[in-house]
Amino acid sequence: MANTLTQQIQSRAYQLGFELVGITPAEESQTIQRYKEWIANGYAGKMGYLERHLPLKEDTRTLLQEAKSVISLAMNYYTLDPPKELAEDPSRGQISRYAWGDDYHDVIRERLLLLVEFIKNTAETELKSRVFVDSGPILEREYAQRAKLGWIGKNTNLINWRTGSWYFLAEVLVSIELDSEMGTLRGSCGTCTKCIEACPTDAFVEPNLLDSRLCISYLTIELKDSIPKELRPKMGNLIFGCDICQEVCPWNSKAIPTSEPAFQPHEGNLAPELLKLVGMTQSEFSEKFKGSPIKRAKRRGFLRNVLVAIGNWGARAAIPALKKALVDEEPLVRSHAAWAMGQIGGKTAEQILQTQLECEHDNEVILEIQDALQVINS
């Protein structure tokens, strides 16, 4: 019965849109010690919740006491490559492709609940379960690798030998014992280091070891404060997340576009014009990114990112928009607008910054304005 049920679960998961499915026993993590060392070394940055959740990650049974099996799943979100002329236009922002469409948490959670319902109706026993989509305290890449979905690459992403790494990962813990994956894990990174070499901020300490504090995805999404000045010029026009270490991965040449409508790009999410974003009000931001992962950055964080991209663009055409941003209600927005103005430079930018300096009351913004004026006059 167990074997039949396992096959039925896998078949139903494929029907629900999951491309990869594997099963492992619910047991202690085998990588928790390395993960603890990663946190102890400060590589988690200001993501304090990762340390708080450490005890929950040691064993999947702390999340569901009755758990006997972990069903690991992966859903493809690769859609298309943006046209080269858009991708290389510094007046446009680049958004990580996972955030082009609907919020994957909502899309996948709904499918997981349908899978659980199927298991309840099919299994001839009482079922207890929990589902996780990226946000739960479970070392999902470890269990996905153990379930033979792929290997954890040098860029820390899970890579499948057939189709690459453009996958969302998810898990279902169930209180029934299912057959585990017994096959051989195929593929490896070999001697390739393209992802490490391509990272603009040198975020990889060594293969398969990422310092989040230098990662553009962390800087544009997880970091809630000011972006370190020395990293801003390295961010280019990346305004939400970063796909570089996946884009250069040779295994992703095998990627097959998803047929999932929810992950297709929303209007305006594919290389949006920076100047059309920087003036967004809170209500406009909420409306534009309703049901999108981008809302995680909040307006203040997203506009901060946009302003860094404008500073890296360096076009004087942006000065009127930056002048407005310098009087935004959010100090974080004003401070990064000052930096961008300093990167553009010129007499007009200098006059605007001098005027704003006289009425600015936030210390951090004052320091940013002073630094920007110094850059202009140096």
Side-chain angles (χ1 to χ4, degrees), residues 148-183:
K148 309 299 192 297
L149 302 194
W151 75 94
I152 301 173
K154 292 178 182 177
N155 62 5
T156 73
N157 288 297
L158 186 90
I159 305 173
N160 178 267
W161 71 278
R162 280 198 181 96
T163 48
S165 65
W166 301 107
Y167 284 106
F168 295 126
L169 301 181
E171 301 76 39
V172 180
L173 306 185
V174 291
S175 59
I176 51 179
E177 194 168 329
L178 300 169
D179 286 350
S180 299
E181 297 302 315
M182 302 299 291

PDB file of all heavy atoms in Angstrom, residues 148-183:
ATOM      1  N   LYS A 148      16.746  13.827  -3.943  1.00  0.00           N
ATOM      2  CA  LYS A 148      17.277  13.670  -5.307  1.00  0.00           C
ATOM      3  C   LYS A 148      16.635  14.633  -6.308  1.00  0.00           C
ATOM      4  O   LYS A 148      16.613  14.372  -7.510  1.00  0.00           O
ATOM      5  CB  LYS A 148      17.094  12.230  -5.809  1.00  0.00           C
ATOM      6  CG  LYS A 148      17.596  11.148  -4.852  1.00  0.00           C
ATOM      7  CD  LYS A 148      19.082  11.260  -4.583  1.00  0.00           C
ATOM      8  CE  LYS A 148      19.636  10.027  -3.868  1.00  0.00           C
ATOM      9  NZ  LYS A 148      19.065   9.790  -2.522  1.00  0.00           N
ATOM     10  N   LEU A 149      16.127  15.785  -5.823  1.00  0.00           N
ATOM     11  CA  LEU A 149      15.588  16.776  -6.763  1.00  0.00           C
ATOM     12  C   LEU A 149      16.720  17.500  -7.491  1.00  0.00           C
ATOM     13  O   LEU A 149      16.521  18.050  -8.567  1.00  0.00           O
ATOM     14  CB  LEU A 149      14.720  17.817  -6.031  1.00  0.00           C
ATOM     15  CG  LEU A 149      13.512  17.332  -5.232  1.00  0.00           C
ATOM     16  CD1 LEU A 149      12.618  18.506  -4.886  1.00  0.00           C
ATOM     17  CD2 LEU A 149      12.742  16.255  -5.969  1.00  0.00           C
ATOM     18  N   GLY A 150      17.885  17.519  -6.884  1.00  0.00           N
ATOM     19  CA  GLY A 150      19.028  18.193  -7.470  1.00  0.00           C
ATOM     20  C   GLY A 150      20.122  18.305  -6.426  1.00  0.00           C
ATOM     21  O   GLY A 150      19.983  17.788  -5.318  1.00  0.00           O
ATOM     22  N   TRP A 151      21.200  18.981  -6.770  1.00  0.00           N
ATOM     23  CA  TRP A 151      22.287  19.203  -5.816  1.00  0.00           C
ATOM     24  C   TRP A 151      22.395  20.693  -5.509  1.00  0.00           C
ATOM     25  O   TRP A 151      21.951  21.533  -6.297  1.00  0.00           O
ATOM     26  CB  TRP A 151      23.615  18.666  -6.356  1.00  0.00           C
ATOM     27  CG  TRP A 151      24.240  19.526  -7.429  1.00  0.00           C
ATOM     28  CD1 TRP A 151      25.175  20.505  -7.286  1.00  0.00           C
ATOM     29  CD2 TRP A 151      23.933  19.482  -8.832  1.00  0.00           C
ATOM     30  NE1 TRP A 151      25.474  21.071  -8.500  1.00  0.00           N
ATOM     31  CE2 TRP A 151      24.730  20.463  -9.455  1.00  0.00           C
ATOM     32  CE3 TRP A 151      23.066  18.710  -9.613  1.00  0.00           C
ATOM     33  CZ2 TRP A 151      24.681  20.695 -10.832  1.00  0.00           C
ATOM     34  CZ3 TRP A 151      23.016  18.949 -10.984  1.00  0.00           C
ATOM     35  CH2 TRP A 151      23.817  19.922 -11.570  1.00  0.00           C
ATOM     36  N   ILE A 152      22.959  21.012  -4.357  1.00  0.00           N
ATOM     37  CA  ILE A 152      23.138  22.412  -3.988  1.00  0.00           C
ATOM     38  C   ILE A 152      24.422  22.900  -4.637  1.00  0.00           C
ATOM     39  O   ILE A 152      25.518  22.427  -4.333  1.00  0.00           O
ATOM     40  CB  ILE A 152      23.195  22.583  -2.462  1.00  0.00           C
ATOM     41  CG1 ILE A 152      21.892  22.055  -1.833  1.00  0.00           C
ATOM     42  CG2 ILE A 152      23.394  24.054  -2.095  1.00  0.00           C
ATOM     43  CD1 ILE A 152      21.901  22.014  -0.321  1.00  0.00           C
ATOM     44  N   GLY A 153      24.288  23.833  -5.561  1.00  0.00           N
ATOM     45  CA  GLY A 153      25.404  24.288  -6.371  1.00  0.00           C
ATOM     46  C   GLY A 153      26.316  25.273  -5.657  1.00  0.00           C
ATOM     47  O   GLY A 153      26.070  25.673  -4.519  1.00  0.00           O
ATOM     48  N   LYS A 154      27.357  25.688  -6.360  1.00  0.00           N
ATOM     49  CA  LYS A 154      28.304  26.650  -5.803  1.00  0.00           C
ATOM     50  C   LYS A 154      27.651  28.007  -5.559  1.00  0.00           C
ATOM     51  O   LYS A 154      28.128  28.794  -4.744  1.00  0.00           O
ATOM     52  CB  LYS A 154      29.510  26.794  -6.742  1.00  0.00           C
ATOM     53  CG  LYS A 154      30.371  25.534  -6.791  1.00  0.00           C
ATOM     54  CD  LYS A 154      31.543  25.683  -7.763  1.00  0.00           C
ATOM     55  CE  LYS A 154      32.341  24.379  -7.822  1.00  0.00           C
ATOM     56  NZ  LYS A 154      33.452  24.445  -8.803  1.00  0.00           N
ATOM     57  N   ASN A 155      26.547  28.280  -6.252  1.00  0.00           N
ATOM     58  CA  ASN A 155      25.805  29.528  -6.029  1.00  0.00           C
ATOM     59  C   ASN A 155      24.732  29.374  -4.953  1.00  0.00           C
ATOM     60  O   ASN A 155      23.903  30.261  -4.771  1.00  0.00           O
ATOM     61  CB  ASN A 155      25.185  30.025  -7.327  1.00  0.00           C
ATOM     62  CG  ASN A 155      24.172  29.052  -7.913  1.00  0.00           C
ATOM     63  OD1 ASN A 155      23.852  28.027  -7.318  1.00  0.00           O
ATOM     64  ND2 ASN A 155      23.653  29.364  -9.086  1.00  0.00           N
ATOM     65  N   THR A 156      24.759  28.265  -4.244  1.00  0.00           N
ATOM     66  CA  THR A 156      23.865  27.906  -3.126  1.00  0.00           C
ATOM     67  C   THR A 156      22.429  27.592  -3.573  1.00  0.00           C
ATOM     68  O   THR A 156      21.575  27.344  -2.742  1.00  0.00           O
ATOM     69  CB  THR A 156      23.817  28.965  -1.997  1.00  0.00           C
ATOM     70  OG1 THR A 156      23.078  30.105  -2.425  1.00  0.00           O
ATOM     71  CG2 THR A 156      25.220  29.369  -1.559  1.00  0.00           C
ATOM     72  N   ASN A 157      22.170  27.581  -4.875  1.00  0.00           N
ATOM     73  CA  ASN A 157      20.850  27.216  -5.378  1.00  0.00           C
ATOM     74  C   ASN A 157      20.772  25.712  -5.634  1.00  0.00           C
ATOM     75  O   ASN A 157      21.796  25.068  -5.924  1.00  0.00           O
ATOM     76  CB  ASN A 157      20.544  27.961  -6.683  1.00  0.00           C
ATOM     77  CG  ASN A 157      20.283  29.425  -6.454  1.00  0.00           C
ATOM     78  OD1 ASN A 157      19.339  29.801  -5.780  1.00  0.00           O
ATOM     79  ND2 ASN A 157      21.127  30.270  -7.017  1.00  0.00           N
ATOM     80  N   LEU A 158      19.579  25.165  -5.557  1.00  0.00           N
ATOM     81  CA  LEU A 158      19.373  23.771  -5.914  1.00  0.00           C
ATOM     82  C   LEU A 158      19.333  23.664  -7.436  1.00  0.00           C
ATOM     83  O   LEU A 158      18.551  24.365  -8.087  1.00  0.00           O
ATOM     84  CB  LEU A 158      18.073  23.238  -5.315  1.00  0.00           C
ATOM     85  CG  LEU A 158      17.900  21.737  -5.539  1.00  0.00           C
ATOM     86  CD1 LEU A 158      18.513  20.958  -4.369  1.00  0.00           C
ATOM     87  CD2 LEU A 158      16.446  21.362  -5.718  1.00  0.00           C
ATOM     88  N   ILE A 159      20.173  22.799  -8.003  1.00  0.00           N
ATOM     89  CA  ILE A 159      20.273  22.650  -9.451  1.00  0.00           C
ATOM     90  C   ILE A 159      19.863  21.232  -9.853  1.00  0.00           C
ATOM     91  O   ILE A 159      20.376  20.255  -9.311  1.00  0.00           O
ATOM     92  CB  ILE A 159      21.710  22.927  -9.944  1.00  0.00           C
ATOM     93  CG1 ILE A 159      22.177  24.313  -9.481  1.00  0.00           C
ATOM     94  CG2 ILE A 159      21.784  22.821 -11.462  1.00  0.00           C
ATOM     95  CD1 ILE A 159      23.646  24.598  -9.781  1.00  0.00           C
ATOM     96  N   ASN A 160      18.941  21.149 -10.794  1.00  0.00           N
ATOM     97  CA  ASN A 160      18.522  19.856 -11.326  1.00  0.00           C
ATOM     98  C   ASN A 160      19.287  19.588 -12.622  1.00  0.00           C
ATOM     99  O   ASN A 160      19.399  20.472 -13.471  1.00  0.00           O
ATOM    100  CB  ASN A 160      17.012  19.863 -11.587  1.00  0.00           C
ATOM    101  CG  ASN A 160      16.526  18.559 -12.199  1.00  0.00           C
ATOM    102  OD1 ASN A 160      16.447  18.428 -13.410  1.00  0.00           O
ATOM    103  ND2 ASN A 160      16.193  17.595 -11.362  1.00  0.00           N
ATOM    104  N   TRP A 161      19.786  18.380 -12.784  1.00  0.00           N
ATOM    105  CA  TRP A 161      20.657  18.080 -13.933  1.00  0.00           C
ATOM    106  C   TRP A 161      19.934  18.156 -15.271  1.00  0.00           C
ATOM    107  O   TRP A 161      20.543  18.359 -16.308  1.00  0.00           O
ATOM    108  CB  TRP A 161      21.315  16.712 -13.763  1.00  0.00           C
ATOM    109  CG  TRP A 161      20.398  15.540 -13.914  1.00  0.00           C
ATOM    110  CD1 TRP A 161      19.574  15.019 -12.963  1.00  0.00           C
ATOM    111  CD2 TRP A 161      20.211  14.754 -15.087  1.00  0.00           C
ATOM    112  NE1 TRP A 161      18.885  13.952 -13.462  1.00  0.00           N
ATOM    113  CE2 TRP A 161      19.260  13.755 -14.774  1.00  0.00           C
ATOM    114  CE3 TRP A 161      20.755  14.775 -16.375  1.00  0.00           C
ATOM    115  CZ2 TRP A 161      18.829  12.810 -15.690  1.00  0.00           C
ATOM    116  CZ3 TRP A 161      20.331  13.822 -17.288  1.00  0.00           C
ATOM    117  CH2 TRP A 161      19.382  12.854 -16.954  1.00  0.00           C
ATOM    118  N   ARG A 162      18.612  18.036 -15.233  1.00  0.00           N
ATOM    119  CA  ARG A 162      17.868  18.107 -16.496  1.00  0.00           C
ATOM    120  C   ARG A 162      17.454  19.533 -16.851  1.00  0.00           C
ATOM    121  O   ARG A 162      17.516  19.932 -18.013  1.00  0.00           O
ATOM    122  CB  ARG A 162      16.591  17.252 -16.406  1.00  0.00           C
ATOM    123  CG  ARG A 162      16.805  15.771 -16.606  1.00  0.00           C
ATOM    124  CD  ARG A 162      15.487  15.092 -16.929  1.00  0.00           C
ATOM    125  NE  ARG A 162      15.644  13.651 -17.107  1.00  0.00           N
ATOM    126  CZ  ARG A 162      15.429  12.755 -16.166  1.00  0.00           C
ATOM    127  NH1 ARG A 162      15.056  13.131 -14.965  1.00  0.00           N
ATOM    128  NH2 ARG A 162      15.582  11.466 -16.420  1.00  0.00           N
ATOM    129  N   THR A 163      17.043  20.313 -15.841  1.00  0.00           N
ATOM    130  CA  THR A 163      16.369  21.584 -16.143  1.00  0.00           C
ATOM    131  C   THR A 163      16.909  22.808 -15.412  1.00  0.00           C
ATOM    132  O   THR A 163      16.342  23.890 -15.514  1.00  0.00           O
ATOM    133  CB  THR A 163      14.857  21.451 -15.845  1.00  0.00           C
ATOM    134  OG1 THR A 163      14.690  20.850 -14.550  1.00  0.00           O
ATOM    135  CG2 THR A 163      14.175  20.591 -16.893  1.00  0.00           C
ATOM    136  N   GLY A 164      17.988  22.672 -14.653  1.00  0.00           N
ATOM    137  CA  GLY A 164      18.590  23.846 -14.042  1.00  0.00           C
ATOM    138  C   GLY A 164      18.039  24.206 -12.681  1.00  0.00           C
ATOM    139  O   GLY A 164      17.602  23.341 -11.914  1.00  0.00           O
ATOM    140  N   SER A 165      18.015  25.529 -12.381  1.00  0.00           N
ATOM    141  CA  SER A 165      17.738  25.973 -11.004  1.00  0.00           C
ATOM    142  C   SER A 165      16.588  26.960 -10.844  1.00  0.00           C
ATOM    143  O   SER A 165      16.372  27.478  -9.751  1.00  0.00           O
ATOM    144  CB  SER A 165      19.003  26.612 -10.415  1.00  0.00           C
ATOM    145  OG  SER A 165      19.341  27.790 -11.126  1.00  0.00           O
ATOM    146  N   TRP A 166      15.841  27.211 -11.899  1.00  0.00           N
ATOM    147  CA  TRP A 166      14.750  28.190 -11.764  1.00  0.00           C
ATOM    148  C   TRP A 166      13.541  27.530 -11.096  1.00  0.00           C
ATOM    149  O   TRP A 166      12.505  27.294 -11.719  1.00  0.00           O
ATOM    150  CB  TRP A 166      14.349  28.753 -13.122  1.00  0.00           C
ATOM    151  CG  TRP A 166      15.437  29.445 -13.879  1.00  0.00           C
ATOM    152  CD1 TRP A 166      16.091  29.005 -14.982  1.00  0.00           C
ATOM    153  CD2 TRP A 166      15.983  30.735 -13.592  1.00  0.00           C
ATOM    154  NE1 TRP A 166      17.009  29.926 -15.400  1.00  0.00           N
ATOM    155  CE2 TRP A 166      16.970  31.003 -14.573  1.00  0.00           C
ATOM    156  CE3 TRP A 166      15.739  31.702 -12.597  1.00  0.00           C
ATOM    157  CZ2 TRP A 166      17.714  32.176 -14.590  1.00  0.00           C
ATOM    158  CZ3 TRP A 166      16.489  32.874 -12.624  1.00  0.00           C
ATOM    159  CH2 TRP A 166      17.448  33.105 -13.604  1.00  0.00           C
ATOM    160  N   TYR A 167      13.681  27.241  -9.804  1.00  0.00           N
ATOM    161  CA  TYR A 167      12.623  26.511  -9.095  1.00  0.00           C
ATOM    162  C   TYR A 167      12.282  27.157  -7.753  1.00  0.00           C
ATOM    163  O   TYR A 167      13.173  27.605  -7.027  1.00  0.00           O
ATOM    164  CB  TYR A 167      13.048  25.068  -8.825  1.00  0.00           C
ATOM    165  CG  TYR A 167      12.986  24.170 -10.037  1.00  0.00           C
ATOM    166  CD1 TYR A 167      14.144  23.757 -10.681  1.00  0.00           C
ATOM    167  CD2 TYR A 167      11.762  23.737 -10.538  1.00  0.00           C
ATOM    168  CE1 TYR A 167      14.090  22.931 -11.802  1.00  0.00           C
ATOM    169  CE2 TYR A 167      11.695  22.913 -11.653  1.00  0.00           C
ATOM    170  CZ  TYR A 167      12.856  22.514 -12.281  1.00  0.00           C
ATOM    171  OH  TYR A 167      12.792  21.705 -13.383  1.00  0.00           O
ATOM    172  N   PHE A 168      10.994  27.174  -7.451  1.00  0.00           N
ATOM    173  CA  PHE A 168      10.533  27.433  -6.087  1.00  0.00           C
ATOM    174  C   PHE A 168      10.482  26.083  -5.380  1.00  0.00           C
ATOM    175  O   PHE A 168      10.031  25.092  -5.960  1.00  0.00           O
ATOM    176  CB  PHE A 168       9.125  28.030  -6.081  1.00  0.00           C
ATOM    177  CG  PHE A 168       9.023  29.390  -6.714  1.00  0.00           C
ATOM    178  CD1 PHE A 168       8.098  29.630  -7.732  1.00  0.00           C
ATOM    179  CD2 PHE A 168       9.816  30.438  -6.280  1.00  0.00           C
ATOM    180  CE1 PHE A 168       7.987  30.884  -8.305  1.00  0.00           C
ATOM    181  CE2 PHE A 168       9.702  31.695  -6.848  1.00  0.00           C
ATOM    182  CZ  PHE A 168       8.792  31.922  -7.862  1.00  0.00           C
ATOM    183  N   LEU A 169      10.923  26.060  -4.118  1.00  0.00           N
ATOM    184  CA  LEU A 169      10.895  24.821  -3.344  1.00  0.00           C
ATOM    185  C   LEU A 169       9.771  24.853  -2.313  1.00  0.00           C
ATOM    186  O   LEU A 169       9.421  25.916  -1.796  1.00  0.00           O
ATOM    187  CB  LEU A 169      12.237  24.604  -2.636  1.00  0.00           C
ATOM    188  CG  LEU A 169      13.478  24.508  -3.532  1.00  0.00           C
ATOM    189  CD1 LEU A 169      14.720  24.267  -2.682  1.00  0.00           C
ATOM    190  CD2 LEU A 169      13.316  23.431  -4.584  1.00  0.00           C
ATOM    191  N   ALA A 170       9.226  23.692  -2.017  1.00  0.00           N
ATOM    192  CA  ALA A 170       8.149  23.587  -1.033  1.00  0.00           C
ATOM    193  C   ALA A 170       8.214  22.210  -0.383  1.00  0.00           C
ATOM    194  O   ALA A 170       8.827  21.286  -0.916  1.00  0.00           O
ATOM    195  CB  ALA A 170       6.793  23.791  -1.693  1.00  0.00           C
ATOM    196  N   GLU A 171       7.587  22.087   0.784  1.00  0.00           N
ATOM    197  CA  GLU A 171       7.599  20.825   1.524  1.00  0.00           C
ATOM    198  C   GLU A 171       6.237  20.541   2.140  1.00  0.00           C
ATOM    199  O   GLU A 171       5.522  21.463   2.523  1.00  0.00           O
ATOM    200  CB  GLU A 171       8.637  20.841   2.666  1.00  0.00           C
ATOM    201  CG  GLU A 171      10.073  21.080   2.239  1.00  0.00           C
ATOM    202  CD  GLU A 171      10.330  22.530   1.903  1.00  0.00           C
ATOM    203  OE1 GLU A 171       9.804  23.418   2.612  1.00  0.00           O
ATOM    204  OE2 GLU A 171      11.068  22.783   0.912  1.00  0.00           O
ATOM    205  N   VAL A 172       5.929  19.248   2.235  1.00  0.00           N
ATOM    206  CA  VAL A 172       4.766  18.786   2.982  1.00  0.00           C
ATOM    207  C   VAL A 172       5.256  17.747   3.988  1.00  0.00           C
ATOM    208  O   VAL A 172       5.882  16.753   3.605  1.00  0.00           O
ATOM    209  CB  VAL A 172       3.695  18.152   2.067  1.00  0.00           C
ATOM    210  CG1 VAL A 172       2.503  17.699   2.905  1.00  0.00           C
ATOM    211  CG2 VAL A 172       3.251  19.124   0.983  1.00  0.00           C
ATOM    212  N   LEU A 173       5.007  17.994   5.271  1.00  0.00           N
ATOM    213  CA  LEU A 173       5.301  16.999   6.302  1.00  0.00           C
ATOM    214  C   LEU A 173       4.033  16.196   6.534  1.00  0.00           C
ATOM    215  O   LEU A 173       2.951  16.774   6.706  1.00  0.00           O
ATOM    216  CB  LEU A 173       5.728  17.673   7.606  1.00  0.00           C
ATOM    217  CG  LEU A 173       6.884  18.686   7.553  1.00  0.00           C
ATOM    218  CD1 LEU A 173       7.239  19.135   8.967  1.00  0.00           C
ATOM    219  CD2 LEU A 173       8.085  18.112   6.844  1.00  0.00           C
ATOM    220  N   VAL A 174       4.173  14.867   6.540  1.00  0.00           N
ATOM    221  CA  VAL A 174       2.997  14.020   6.739  1.00  0.00           C
ATOM    222  C   VAL A 174       3.287  12.965   7.794  1.00  0.00           C
ATOM    223  O   VAL A 174       4.433  12.554   7.995  1.00  0.00           O
ATOM    224  CB  VAL A 174       2.550  13.337   5.423  1.00  0.00           C
ATOM    225  CG1 VAL A 174       1.995  14.359   4.451  1.00  0.00           C
ATOM    226  CG2 VAL A 174       3.696  12.539   4.800  1.00  0.00           C
ATOM    227  N   SER A 175       2.224  12.521   8.458  1.00  0.00           N
ATOM    228  CA  SER A 175       2.359  11.576   9.573  1.00  0.00           C
ATOM    229  C   SER A 175       2.280  10.127   9.115  1.00  0.00           C
ATOM    230  O   SER A 175       1.982   9.233   9.904  1.00  0.00           O
ATOM    231  CB  SER A 175       1.258  11.852  10.610  1.00  0.00           C
ATOM    232  OG  SER A 175      -0.023  11.725  10.002  1.00  0.00           O
ATOM    233  N   ILE A 176       2.531   9.883   7.824  1.00  0.00           N
ATOM    234  CA  ILE A 176       2.532   8.512   7.314  1.00  0.00           C
ATOM    235  C   ILE A 176       3.892   8.216   6.687  1.00  0.00           C
ATOM    236  O   ILE A 176       4.549   9.117   6.152  1.00  0.00           O
ATOM    237  CB  ILE A 176       1.399   8.273   6.290  1.00  0.00           C
ATOM    238  CG1 ILE A 176       1.413   9.365   5.210  1.00  0.00           C
ATOM    239  CG2 ILE A 176       0.055   8.218   6.970  1.00  0.00           C
ATOM    240  CD1 ILE A 176       0.340   9.185   4.158  1.00  0.00           C
ATOM    241  N   GLU A 177       4.283   6.965   6.769  1.00  0.00           N
ATOM    242  CA  GLU A 177       5.578   6.566   6.238  1.00  0.00           C
ATOM    243  C   GLU A 177       5.444   6.252   4.755  1.00  0.00           C
ATOM    244  O   GLU A 177       4.696   5.365   4.359  1.00  0.00           O
ATOM    245  CB  GLU A 177       6.102   5.356   7.005  1.00  0.00           C
ATOM    246  CG  GLU A 177       7.559   5.079   6.745  1.00  0.00           C
ATOM    247  CD  GLU A 177       8.137   4.055   7.719  1.00  0.00           C
ATOM    248  OE1 GLU A 177       7.663   4.014   8.878  1.00  0.00           O
ATOM    249  OE2 GLU A 177       9.039   3.321   7.308  1.00  0.00           O
ATOM    250  N   LEU A 178       6.189   6.996   3.950  1.00  0.00           N
ATOM    251  CA  LEU A 178       6.166   6.803   2.508  1.00  0.00           C
ATOM    252  C   LEU A 178       7.519   6.287   2.044  1.00  0.00           C
ATOM    253  O   LEU A 178       8.521   6.444   2.732  1.00  0.00           O
ATOM    254  CB  LEU A 178       5.852   8.126   1.803  1.00  0.00           C
ATOM    255  CG  LEU A 178       4.518   8.785   2.149  1.00  0.00           C
ATOM    256  CD1 LEU A 178       4.457  10.204   1.603  1.00  0.00           C
ATOM    257  CD2 LEU A 178       3.353   7.959   1.605  1.00  0.00           C
ATOM    258  N   ASP A 179       7.555   5.708   0.865  1.00  0.00           N
ATOM    259  CA  ASP A 179       8.818   5.226   0.317  1.00  0.00           C
ATOM    260  C   ASP A 179       9.741   6.393   0.020  1.00  0.00           C
ATOM    261  O   ASP A 179       9.327   7.390  -0.596  1.00  0.00           O
ATOM    262  CB  ASP A 179       8.573   4.457  -0.987  1.00  0.00           C
ATOM    263  CG  ASP A 179       7.978   3.087  -0.731  1.00  0.00           C
ATOM    264  OD1 ASP A 179       7.945   2.678   0.445  1.00  0.00           O
ATOM    265  OD2 ASP A 179       7.542   2.436  -1.690  1.00  0.00           O
ATOM    266  N   SER A 180      10.985   6.300   0.432  1.00  0.00           N
ATOM    267  CA  SER A 180      11.966   7.358   0.185  1.00  0.00           C
ATOM    268  C   SER A 180      12.652   7.139  -1.154  1.00  0.00           C
ATOM    269  O   SER A 180      12.637   6.036  -1.708  1.00  0.00           O
ATOM    270  CB  SER A 180      13.008   7.377   1.303  1.00  0.00           C
ATOM    271  OG  SER A 180      12.395   7.648   2.541  1.00  0.00           O
ATOM    272  N   GLU A 181      13.264   8.229  -1.655  1.00  0.00           N
ATOM    273  CA  GLU A 181      13.977   8.149  -2.921  1.00  0.00           C
ATOM    274  C   GLU A 181      15.245   7.314  -2.752  1.00  0.00           C
ATOM    275  O   GLU A 181      16.039   7.561  -1.839  1.00  0.00           O
ATOM    276  CB  GLU A 181      14.331   9.554  -3.410  1.00  0.00           C
ATOM    277  CG  GLU A 181      13.120  10.422  -3.715  1.00  0.00           C
ATOM    278  CD  GLU A 181      12.211   9.806  -4.767  1.00  0.00           C
ATOM    279  OE1 GLU A 181      12.731   9.321  -5.794  1.00  0.00           O
ATOM    280  OE2 GLU A 181      10.991   9.793  -4.564  1.00  0.00           O
ATOM    281  N   MET A 182      15.441   6.358  -3.646  1.00  0.00           N
ATOM    282  CA  MET A 182      16.600   5.468  -3.541  1.00  0.00           C
ATOM    283  C   MET A 182      17.576   5.640  -4.702  1.00  0.00           C
ATOM    284  O   MET A 182      18.627   5.030  -4.738  1.00  0.00           O
ATOM    285  CB  MET A 182      16.127   4.002  -3.503  1.00  0.00           C
ATOM    286  CG  MET A 182      15.162   3.697  -2.357  1.00  0.00           C
ATOM    287  SD  MET A 182      15.887   3.993  -0.738  1.00  0.00           S
ATOM    288  CE  MET A 182      17.094   2.672  -0.685  1.00  0.00           C
ATOM    289  N   GLY A 183      17.225   6.490  -5.680  1.00  0.00           N
ATOM    290  CA  GLY A 183      18.075   6.652  -6.864  1.00  0.00           C
ATOM    291  C   GLY A 183      19.369   7.399  -6.559  1.00  0.00           C
ATOM    292  O   GLY A 183      19.607   7.868  -5.452  1.00  0.00           O
TER     293      GLY A 183
END
